[in-house]
Amino acid sequence: MSHPRHEGAGVPKTLDSASESLERRRKAHEGERVVGGLKSQKARNWTEKLLTRTTSGLVYALCIFACLFLGKIPTTVLVAAMAWLCGSEFFRMSRLAGRMPNEFVGLFATVLYPLAALARPEAETGITLLLMLACGTWYVLTPRASISDASITLFGAVYTGLLFSSVVTIRSCEPGYDGALLTLGVMGSVWVNDAFAYLVGSKLGKHKLAPRISPNKSWEGLVGGLFGSCIVWTIVWALGVRGIELPLALLAGLLCGCAGVIGDLFESRLKRSVGVKDSGNFMPGHGGLLDRSDSMLFACMTAYFVLHYGGIL
């Protein structure tokens, strides 16, 4: 004798089973969900970081591009502001290391360096002498100050202000588009160097360059970065900017690429010495402005010397 079938009896059972299955899966992955380890969470976080980093990097690049082509005065104002921010981040890290530099003197000189480069490059020597005199006077009159504090005050201004002023000097060589293109080429070679080094290093990097300072850097990435830098300088030569010849362009690409890597490792060691991941949080997705400019500082000053002794400036 057959039992009567209740209408819809199988539906609740099926829904209940599916709900129970989903609940079991949810509980099984609860630990991963709490720490953000689920694939969907990782994908969302990666996308957010990429968009944040790309947007802030694009704004940064557009500001520089606009100021370079507006002229040497807007470039000087931008460089002075960037130097001040980088100097501020440097002195902040110095204080984390237990030092007590005179930030007022250091930052004041940091801003003066780009302004002096706009007026006359030789004026930077006068800024350095005045800075040394100010640091010496402060050291004599301040019992709590150590020689390390005075030295860091001097070094911070030179590291950020003097090195950054090379951008102003290069831009001032020609008020028209040639000066803008040359400066853009110098800075662009640093950006492309970093990008190529990251791409090649992440795919092919096997031999560590400086594992104690920057574990992610590799010799393969270094070669890739130098190649990218030389490409940009070759474009500068192909465009006929300031009459640069190909041998000088390739030399500039190699030297600026190497100097940029040293600048990057230099700042990485600074951060490791004080136990911080980023020099600041000025640029979302990139950290501090000094994190974004560490390679630029050394590379642009190197470019200045190559171009100066190459007869271009």
Side-chain angles (χ1 to χ4, degrees):
M1 182 175 180
S2 61
H3 297 282
R5 181 177 180 178
H6 298 286
E7 185 177 356
V11 176
K13 184 177 180 181
T14 303
L15 289 177
D16 286 345
S17 299
S19 177
E20 291 174 1
S21 176
L22 289 173
E23 188 62 27
R24 285 195 299 270
R25 291 179 60 186
R26 179 182 177 83
K27 289 182 178 179
H29 296 284
E30 187 64 27
E32 293 180 82
R33 180 178 294 102
V34 171
V35 299
L38 296 179
K39 290 182 179 179
S40 59
Q41 291 175 316
K42 291 180 179 179
R44 184 176 65 252
N45 291 337
W46 181 86
T47 303
E48 290 175 353
K49 289 180 180 178
L50 177 63
L51 290 175
T52 302
R53 183 179 178 88
T54 302
T55 302
S56 61
L58 184 61
V59 172
Y60 167 80
L62 287 176
C63 287
I64 291 177
F65 185 87
C67 289
L68 289 179
F69 282 90
L70 284 173
K72 58 183 183 181
I73 293 179
T75 299
T76 303
V77 173
L78 177 66
V79 170
M82 293 174 67
W84 187 90
L85 287 168
C86 288
S88 180
E89 292 175 359
F90 172 81
F91 288 128
R92 170 183 165 271
M93 290 192 291
S94 298
R95 288 190 177 278
L96 290 176
R99 306 303 178 188
M100 299 184 68
N102 189 321
E103 294 189 40
F104 175 80
V105 171
L107 292 176
F108 186 69
T110 296
V111 174
L112 284 182
Y113 273 120
L115 300 179
L118 176 64
R120 191 173 182 180
E122 292 81 1
E124 293 174 314
T125 302
I127 300 298
T128 303
L129 292 175
L130 291 174
L131 175 60
M132 292 185 68
L133 179 61
C135 289
T137 302
W138 173 68
Y139 177 62
V140 169
L141 298 177
T142 310
R144 70 166 181 82
S146 67
I147 190 63
S148 297
D149 298 331
S151 300
I152 289 174
T153 302
L154 175 64
F155 178 80
V158 171
Y159 173 46
T160 55
L162 179 59
L163 294 189
F164 242 141
S165 70
S166 58
V167 176
V168 177
T169 304
I170 296 172
R171 178 62 185 90
S172 300
C173 71
E174 170 62 49
Y177 285 123
D178 258 18
L181 286 174
L182 179 60
T183 314
L184 183 62
V186 172
M187 303 181 79
S189 69
V190 180
W191 296 332
V192 174
N193 185 354
D194 290 343
F196 272 52
Y198 173 76
L199 292 174
V200 174
S202 60
K203 297 294 183 182
L204 305 175
K206 295 181 180 179
H207 302 86
K208 299 299 182 180
L209 178 62
R212 292 184 178 181
I213 301 175
S214 185
N216 295 326
K217 282 187 170 43
S218 65
W219 286 100
E220 292 83 359
L222 171 65
V223 174
L226 294 178
F227 179 73
S229 178
C230 287
I231 288 178
V232 175
W233 279 95
T234 301
I235 294 174
V236 172
W237 161 76
L239 293 175
V241 178
R242 298 283 294 177
I244 294 180
E245 297 182 354
L246 183 58
L248 183 64
L250 294 176
L251 177 64
L254 291 173
L255 293 180
C256 290
C258 291
V261 172
I262 294 174
D264 193 342
L265 292 174
F266 177 83
E267 202 242 350
S268 294
R269 184 170 181 184
L270 282 178
K271 291 187 293 185
R272 278 189 175 274
S273 67
V274 297
V276 296
K277 182 178 182 294
D278 299 316
S279 63
N281 55 7
F282 178 77
M283 293 184 66
H286 293 270
L289 187 60
L290 187 57
D291 294 320
R292 197 71 183 85
S293 306
D294 51 6
S295 300
M296 193 75 66
L297 292 169
F298 280 63
C300 286
M301 184 57 75
T302 300
Y304 163 73
F305 280 107
V306 172
L307 295 171
H308 177 73
Y309 288 107
I312 304 302
L313 300 180

